[in-house]
Amino acid sequence: MKRKIKYIVVHCADTDPRKPYPFEACRKDHIEHNKWDDIGYHYYITTDGTLHLGRDLETPGAHVAGFNKCSIGVCYEGGKMGDTRTKAQKQTLVNVLRYLKSLCPEAEIVGHHDLNPNKSCPNFDARTEYKNL
Ligand SMILES: [Zn+2]
């Protein structure tokens, strides 16, 4: 990694997990609605556990105000009103976070909420759950 990564930030899409919100829908919203160049995240994990590649890791994301330059963003589909991660999503999340820790051993895994207390995202305590990865 050329970028200096301080945080690996876990997000939820804040969508109803019963209503599919696939990678391309999220990407389209970020481009057309938010007017960004690309999806804001580096990884997106759909309810079936599939890992979708968003921005290149060397390109700063658009997912956490004030910390985009020094972070990587990983988002799971769903998350509205609570932790709606499926078993498959949890498995993929652990795998991708382990991989990112191997690339950036100094980085801390946190939830969006830990960097912006006004947000409840990702609706579970990522910092505690992944502190030993
Ligand atoms: Zn978030």
Side-chain angles (χ1 to χ4, degrees), residues 20-71:
Y21 188 60
F23 173 77
E24 276 307 328
C26 181
R27 186 164 182 268
K28 193 166 176 261
D29 279 349
H30 284 184
I31 293 171
E32 290 179 8
H33 186 258
N34 298 5
K35 309 287 179 204
W36 296 339
D37 298 338
D38 198 353
I39 188 167
Y41 309 114
H42 296 90
Y43 293 102
Y44 187 78
I45 303 168
T46 39
T47 51
D48 65 356
T50 303
L51 182 68
H52 301 265
L53 306 183
R55 294 195 187 195
D56 183 273
L57 289 179
E58 293 292 3
T59 305
H63 57 94
V64 54
F67 299 95
N68 283 309
K69 279 195 179 134
C70 63
S71 71

Side-chain angles (χ1 to χ4, degrees), residues 84-102:
T84 65
R85 289 173 298 162
T86 62
K87 222 176 153 184
Q89 278 177 312
K90 285 185 183 175
Q91 190 57 60
T92 303
L93 198 46
V94 164
N95 290 343
V96 73
L97 292 174
R98 272 207 190 102
Y99 166 70
L100 291 173
K101 274 294 269 190
S102 74

